[in-house]
Amino acid sequence: MYVVINIIGLFVTIGVAYLFSRDRKNVQWKSVGIVTAIQLFLAWFLVNFSVGRQAVIAAANGFNWLVGTAYKGIAFALPDWVPTTVAGAGGTMHGSMNFVTSALLPILLVVPLFDILTYIGFLPWLVKWIGRGLSFVTGQPKFEAFFSVEMMFLGNTEVLIVSKNQLTQMNEKRNLTLALMSMSCVTASIIGAYTQMMPGQYVLTAVPLNILGAIIITSILNPVKVSKEDDIVAEINPPVAVEQADGTTVMEQPKKEPFFSFLGDSILGAGKLILIVLASVIAFVALANLIDSVFALTGLKWLSLENIFGVCMFPFAWLLGFSPEHAFELARLMGTKLVTNEFVVMGEVSKNVLAHKGMFANQHAVAVLTVFVTSFANFGTVGMIIGAFKGLVSKEKVDHISSNVPLMLVSGILVSLLSAGMAGLFAW
């Protein structure tokens, strides 16, 4: 019965997207159907097919090995923060280290590593060809397909910054599509932190599912027709005019920044990211506790943020294939993630999920929650995206995006629900 409910839930998610669509008549259902079929196949392959399951487990082990390597650097600078067994073996240990050590400090290695792969040209090359293949198979505009893959590696605000030339050439409707898609990404450089707190298999399953889910949901919410003349991908680093000694002007490619200067900036950027995540987690948890303390003054024992979230998200959680009791618990966690961020929820449930305790003794619950929380879809992300657009495009385009903030939130929620529903369909 719960499998049937899970299937119905997928149709309901797409139906809700249709209800919120800005242009229902022009939804390209053929393209939506193709991408949905690919997402369904990918979910089955990665969750239920032995080869796919082994592939994502191997990838998760690779990230864990990378994080374990980072612990050696942490142990050198902060020996009291890392157990000797972990620092010596290069492995991972969840229970004996605090959140900062186990999840955040390894970012100081992972972010520069991905930046180096970008510097030498490997990641741009990989993104370009995956994006082209995705556009060819799905029928999506080239840049939208390119963008959906690129944001997985660079992050939602970073990918917008490097896409400035493209954004200025695109109309406000296509800019809104990119804003909607940006609500559903997860940066590869922070996956290592996620795999220390949640099952790596499902964390890595969520990444491609979110890419395809973002294409599906945004194609329904904000359908856009792109002419052949406009269906291009602008250069990230276009040639610039350089004046010669004889007074003539030639177009030249910008010179690369010296490697060690680049690496220093990357490490500083990783440090800033750690501080941002840490500050957000502390502030959100404290604010949530403050609100609950205020609610407690009313004398109503049932009145709390957790219960409010549970009521709001309960129908969607139930449609993911859960009993009413477990659906309410899942809904509470889903709502908490949307208002705060994924780290708050991961920190709360990590021990029970990894130990398969309580409702998480059920593999379906583990898969659904892990995939749902593995994204940047929350209220704080809205501000980050709009802030990024303000420095890149005209005021008219920013105003158009700002007027569609509710649609951005709907997009992030629906993509997370669709990805979680797809993964949960094959995990019982």
Side-chain angles (χ1 to χ4, degrees), residues 326-345:
H326 287 165
F328 186 82
E329 174 63 14
L330 180 69
R332 180 187 68 79
L333 295 169
M334 291 164 63
T336 301
K337 186 262 180 184
L338 295 172
V339 175
T340 57
N341 60 42
E342 67 279 10
F343 280 108
V344 173
V345 175

Side-chain angles (χ1 to χ4, degrees), residues 114-248:
F114 275 88
D115 285 344
I116 290 171
L117 293 176
T118 300
Y119 184 86
I120 64 178
F122 175 73
L123 277 186
W125 174 84
L126 183 65
V127 168
K128 179 180 73 174
W129 287 106
I130 294 177
R132 285 184 178 180
L134 194 59
S135 174
F136 176 78
V137 172
T138 64
Q140 291 294 307
K142 292 177 182 177
F143 183 75
E144 278 78 347
F146 178 83
F147 183 87
S148 67
V149 178
E150 191 176 30
M151 69 180 180
M152 175 181 70
F153 293 101
L154 298 181
N156 48 13
T157 55
E158 292 85 350
V159 70
L160 291 172
I161 292 170
V162 301
S163 302
K164 180 178 180 179
N165 292 328
Q166 185 84 35
L167 298 178
T168 56
Q169 296 177 32
M170 296 166 64
N171 60 35
E172 61 183 22
K173 196 170 183 180
R174 290 184 72 188
N175 271 253
L176 175 60
T177 294
L178 301 184
L180 297 177
M181 295 178 77
S182 297
M183 289 294 297
S184 306
C185 82
V186 52
T187 310
S189 59
I190 208 170
I191 288 177
Y194 293 160
T195 59
Q196 300 306 293
M197 306 173 73
M198 304 293 280
Q201 174 190 354
Y202 296 123
V203 168
L204 289 166
T205 296
V207 176
L209 293 186
N210 283 342
I211 291 175
L212 297 172
I215 293 175
I216 295 168
I217 297 301
T218 55
S219 295
I220 300 173
L221 291 176
N222 189 49
V224 178
K225 288 186 177 181
V226 180
S227 65
K228 290 184 178 180
E229 295 77 15
D230 293 331
D231 193 14
I232 58 173
V233 178
E235 293 185 62
I236 292 178
N237 293 308
V240 295
V242 178
E243 188 174 347
Q244 304 297 301
D246 59 3
T248 59

Side-chain angles (χ1 to χ4, degrees), residues 287-289 291-292 295 303-310 332 336:
L287 285 171
N289 184 67
I291 293 171
D292 280 341
F295 285 159
L303 185 59
S304 67
L305 278 179
E306 294 181 352
N307 288 337
I308 293 173
F309 294 151
R332 180 187 68 79
T336 301

Side-chain angles (χ1 to χ4, degrees), residues 310-353:
V311 171
C312 293
M313 295 299 297
F314 174 79
F316 301 100
W318 180 74
L319 285 169
L320 288 170
F322 289 90
S323 66
E325 178 185 355
H326 287 165
F328 186 82
E329 174 63 14
L330 180 69
R332 180 187 68 79
L333 295 169
M334 291 164 63
T336 301
K337 186 262 180 184
L338 295 172
V339 175
T340 57
N341 60 42
E342 67 279 10
F343 280 108
V344 173
V345 175
M346 288 182 182
E348 179 180 342
V349 303
S350 178
K351 291 183 178 179
N352 287 338
V353 169

Side-chain angles (χ1 to χ4, degrees), residues 334-410:
M334 291 164 63
T336 301
K337 186 262 180 184
L338 295 172
V339 175
T340 57
N341 60 42
E342 67 279 10
F343 280 108
V344 173
V345 175
M346 288 182 182
E348 179 180 342
V349 303
S350 178
K351 291 183 178 179
N352 287 338
V353 169
L354 295 174
H356 298 286
K357 292 182 179 180
M359 70 176 288
F360 299 111
N362 184 329
Q363 196 66 19
H364 181 69
V366 174
V368 168
L369 180 64
T370 302
V371 173
F372 184 89
V373 299
T374 305
S375 81
F376 292 160
N378 56 58
F379 287 92
T381 298
V382 173
M384 293 172 59
I385 293 171
I386 293 176
F389 270 101
K390 282 185 177 180
L392 300 171
V393 298
S394 66
K395 185 177 184 300
E396 290 74 20
K397 291 179 180 179
V398 174
D399 289 344
H400 182 66
I401 294 170
S402 299
S403 65
N404 284 280
V405 164
L407 197 66
M408 293 172 64
L409 292 169
V410 168

